[in-house]
């Protein structure tokens, strides 16, 4: 498929069988496998048509999605989950630490007042406005989620039984149950919001953690970047911002230098 065709199909192929969908400064991803598709995160409600267009551009349909796996359950990653789960029977996988947020996407812990922080950091306002226009204020929660295996927290990465078999990399801090997802055979790490290349709350770019206006514990977030670094992934695909091709170790070092906002 040519680049022009990919633009019309609303996706970008970023690795073998891995496709990025980006809308309103939020990324989510399709993973192709012989046994179907896994969706990693699910953007905002306005992305439904974008997802459908991407699937058709890849020669698939919504029925080919066998699982939605969440890096975490904040509203901007949960946007399509309710509809996929209730209308298409797609199981929604999440860490137990984020199961409450999955049901109540606007009830989560964060260090700083979002309103006050936004006034002090106007660079993030255009990003947040785009997200709001894409439905950030009307995301529905999901009941009946499927939980990651509990042993993934302590025993190192464990593969999920979904297409692509991503390994769960427990990396709390942004939320209590945040997890990276690693495709070992492709060298690809989905870093969610534990490490981004665009902070929606400041508008700053480059590897960093998300500001305290949306992060539960910035110190823990910075500490647990070590778990992501241990994967040695060559390609990092964040929840916000452009893919990082310099490798996870370099990204983690840059994020630590940037510190918390």
């Amino acid at each position: 498929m040519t680049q022009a065709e990919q633009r019309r199909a609303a996706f970008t192929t970023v690795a073998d069988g891995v496709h990025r969908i980006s809308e309103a400064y939020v990324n989510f991803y399709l993973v192709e496998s012989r046994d179907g598709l896994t969706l990693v995160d699910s953007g905002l409600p306005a992305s439904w048509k974008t997802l459908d267009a991407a699937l058709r551009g890849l020669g698939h349909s919504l029925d080919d999605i066998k699982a939605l796996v969440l890096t975490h359950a904040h509203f901007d990653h949960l946007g399509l989950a309710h509809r996929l789960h209730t209308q298409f029977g797609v199981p929604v996988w999440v860490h137990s630490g984020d199961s409450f947020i999955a049901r109540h996407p606007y009830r989560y812990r964060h260090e700083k007042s979002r309103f006050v922080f936004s006034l002090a950091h106007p660079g993030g306002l255009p990003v947040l406005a785009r997200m709001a226009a894409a439905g950030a204020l009307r995301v529905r929660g999901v009941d009946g989620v499927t939980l990651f295996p509990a042993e993934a927290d302590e025993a190192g990465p464990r593969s999920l039984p979904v297409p692509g078999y991503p390994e769960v990399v427990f990396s709390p801090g942004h939320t209590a149950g945040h997890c990276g997802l690693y495709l070992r055979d492709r060298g690809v790490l989905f870093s969610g919001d534990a490490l981004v290349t665009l902070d929606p709350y400041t508008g700053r770019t480059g590897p960093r953690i998300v500001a305290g206006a949306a992060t539960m514990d910035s110190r823990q977030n910075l500490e647990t970047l070590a778990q992501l670094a241990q994967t040695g992934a060559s390609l990092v695909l964040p929840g916000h911002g452009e893919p990082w091709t310099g490798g996870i170790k370099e990204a983690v070092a840059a994020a630590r230098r940037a510190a918390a906002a």
Side-chain angles (χ1 to χ4, degrees):
M1 180 177 290
T2 67
Q3 289 185 349
E5 289 171 332
Q6 287 192 4
R7 282 195 294 272
R8 286 197 295 273
F11 71 91
T12 304
T13 298
V14 291
D16 182 28
V18 181
H19 312 282
R20 174 188 179 221
I21 302 171
S22 186
E23 188 164 351
Y25 298 100
V26 180
N27 302 323
F28 56 107
Y29 302 90
L30 281 164
V31 177
E32 289 186 291
S33 182
R34 291 181 179 179
D35 47 352
L37 303 176
T38 290
L39 188 64
V40 175
D41 292 331
S42 65
L44 291 163
S47 296
W48 185 263
K49 291 183 178 179
T50 311
L51 172 61
D52 186 56
L55 289 166
R56 286 187 283 106
L58 290 165
H60 293 289
S61 71
L62 288 162
D63 292 329
D64 295 325
I65 299 177
K66 305 304 180 185
L68 164 57
V69 182
L70 300 174
T71 59
H72 64 297
H74 278 168
F75 59 86
D76 52 329
H77 299 260
L78 195 71
L80 306 181
H82 184 273
R83 189 170 179 181
L84 286 168
H85 185 61
T86 57
Q87 294 186 17
F88 293 86
V90 176
V92 179
W93 290 76
V94 69
H95 188 277
S96 60
D98 273 23
S99 59
F100 177 83
I101 306 174
R103 297 193 303 274
H104 309 283
Y106 301 105
R107 295 169 62 183
Y108 61 89
R109 293 167 55 196
H110 46 90
E111 294 173 324
K112 300 178 181 179
S113 164
R114 285 168 289 194
F115 177 74
V116 173
F117 189 90
S118 295
L119 290 179
H121 297 80
L125 292 176
V127 178
L128 298 175
R130 283 281 301 278
M131 290 171 63
L137 303 179
R138 52 182 175 85
V139 174
R140 299 182 66 180
V142 180
D143 291 316
V145 295
T146 303
L147 299 181
F148 293 169
E151 59 268 24
D153 295 3
E154 303 295 338
R158 294 294 182 96
S159 296
L160 297 178
V162 302
Y165 299 96
E167 296 179 10
V168 176
V169 186
F170 188 48
S171 46
H174 183 66
T175 64
H178 190 288
C179 294
L181 299 165
Y182 180 43
L183 300 179
R184 184 174 296 274
D185 61 337
R186 310 184 209 193
V188 172
L189 176 68
F190 302 100
S191 61
D193 282 6
L195 189 153
V196 298
T197 56
L198 167 68
D199 181 352
Y201 286 84
T202 64
R204 295 171 184 163
T205 59
R208 62 192 61 248
I209 68 171
V210 175
T215 293
M216 179 190 75
D217 186 331
S218 294
R219 175 182 289 184
Q220 185 183 36
N221 192 161
L222 287 167
E223 289 176 351
T224 59
L225 292 178
Q227 281 90 284
L228 300 181
Q230 286 175 359
T231 66
S234 57
L235 176 64
V236 182
L237 300 178
H240 304 278
E242 294 299 310
W244 178 263
T245 59
I248 183 59
K249 293 182 180 179
E250 183 180 326
V252 165
R256 286 175 171 159
R257 289 194 297 270

